[in-house]
Amino acid sequence: MTSPMAISRDTAVGPEARLSWILSGLAGMVGAVAFLHSAGYFVTFMTGNTERAVVGHFGEPAGKEVAPGASPWAALALMGSFLLGVVIASICRRKYWSNHPHGATVVTTIALALAGSIDIALSGWSSADVNFYPILLIAFALGALNTAFTKKEETYIPLSYVTGTLVKLGQGIERHLCGGGTRYDWLCYLLLLGSFSLGGAIGAFIGVVITGPQVLLLAAVFSFGATIFTFTHTERQTVFG
């Protein structure tokens, strides 16, 4: 007997799922770029930033050097920026684009383009690393992106929350093994994890080829492409279908 929690094939690999893979890949790519071209700041890993924000105030163990990106205040700023991105995108969704996924990617694209432009103004076109202020904008962009899939004012597909994805993946595997579900109960989360990882690999490859400001602008271009795809993939069906 199938569990009421079982995930259908259309939910696991249908149009909305395929769109989530693209946006999750975008999140992975942007996160990798920010990590490689900064002092080791995490713009997708808010669990780690929370621990840094707390532990950092107690100092480092004796004989251990402080990592450049491990400042507790930097971690708090990244958390605040990510949170602000969620709030602003959610307000815009409520007022301007109710249930339109492409709206979140518009905010993401604008924030990434601003981050790249500001970094060029601060450090020039050929700077190897990205300054901290553009990194805050990147965290803002990813906070906004995580509001793309929302029902009843709650996100139901968190694009960069890999910890939660792994938990759901494990629970789906257990349901399948115990006869309470199907392979789609875990396949959807495995594909979401894979898309985020692939995006990270693409970001890492790009990050070793071009400089920090350049890669931010390229990320903005990819985000714009994801916006166009999101609009044509979902909105056109709503308007014309």
Side-chain angles (χ1 to χ4, degrees):
M1 181 176 178
T2 302
S3 166
M5 297 176 63
I7 296 175
S8 68
R9 180 184 185 279
D10 186 63
T11 299
V13 296
E16 188 175 61
R18 293 194 293 270
L19 178 59
S20 74
W21 304 340
I22 292 174
L23 298 186
S24 182
L26 175 63
M29 186 198 75
V30 172
V33 165
F35 179 77
L36 287 174
H37 286 280
S38 71
Y41 296 111
F42 290 108
V43 293
T44 58
F45 186 35
M46 293 303 126
T47 302
N49 283 326
T50 301
E51 291 181 341
R52 282 182 175 182
V54 175
V55 174
H57 290 290
F58 292 89
E60 294 290 329
K64 183 177 179 180
E65 294 183 3
V66 179
S71 162
W73 301 112
L76 279 171
L78 288 166
M79 292 168 59
S81 186
F82 187 95
L83 179 62
L84 184 62
V86 174
V87 172
I88 295 299
S90 297
I91 291 174
C92 289
R93 173 182 287 273
R94 180 186 296 274
K95 292 183 176 294
Y96 305 115
W97 59 66
S98 177
N99 204 31
H100 291 189
H102 79 272
T105 60
V106 169
V107 177
T108 301
T109 301
I110 293 171
L112 290 174
L114 282 174
S117 301
I118 291 172
D119 201 49
I120 290 171
L122 291 174
S123 303
W125 178 253
S126 300
S127 173
D129 290 329
V130 177
N131 285 278
F132 183 65
Y133 295 113
I135 293 293
L136 290 177
L137 272 172
I138 297 172
F140 176 93
L142 287 173
L145 187 63
N146 274 277
T147 69
F149 297 97
T150 302
K151 285 181 181 178
K152 297 181 180 179
E153 302 179 358
E154 294 288 340
T155 293
Y156 64 96
I157 304 180
L159 298 171
S160 65
Y161 182 40
V162 177
T163 301
T165 300
L166 283 173
V167 170
K168 290 179 179 294
L169 174 62
Q171 291 173 332
I173 292 173
E174 183 275 335
R175 287 199 300 274
H176 189 197
L177 290 176
C178 294
T182 69
R183 65 180 181 274
Y184 297 114
D185 284 34
W186 55 265
L187 180 62
C188 58
Y189 299 111
L190 180 63
L191 292 172
L192 191 65
L193 174 64
S195 64
F196 184 89
S197 302
L198 178 61
I202 293 172
F205 174 78
I206 294 172
V208 299
V209 174
I210 59 179
T211 65
Q214 295 171 17
V215 80
L216 285 183
L217 293 180
L218 183 60
V221 171
F222 284 161
S223 181
F224 179 74
T227 300
I228 298 299
F229 179 83
T230 304
F231 179 81
T232 57
H233 194 67
T234 58
E235 308 304 319
R236 186 173 59 185
Q237 296 175 14
T238 301
V239 175
F240 298 107

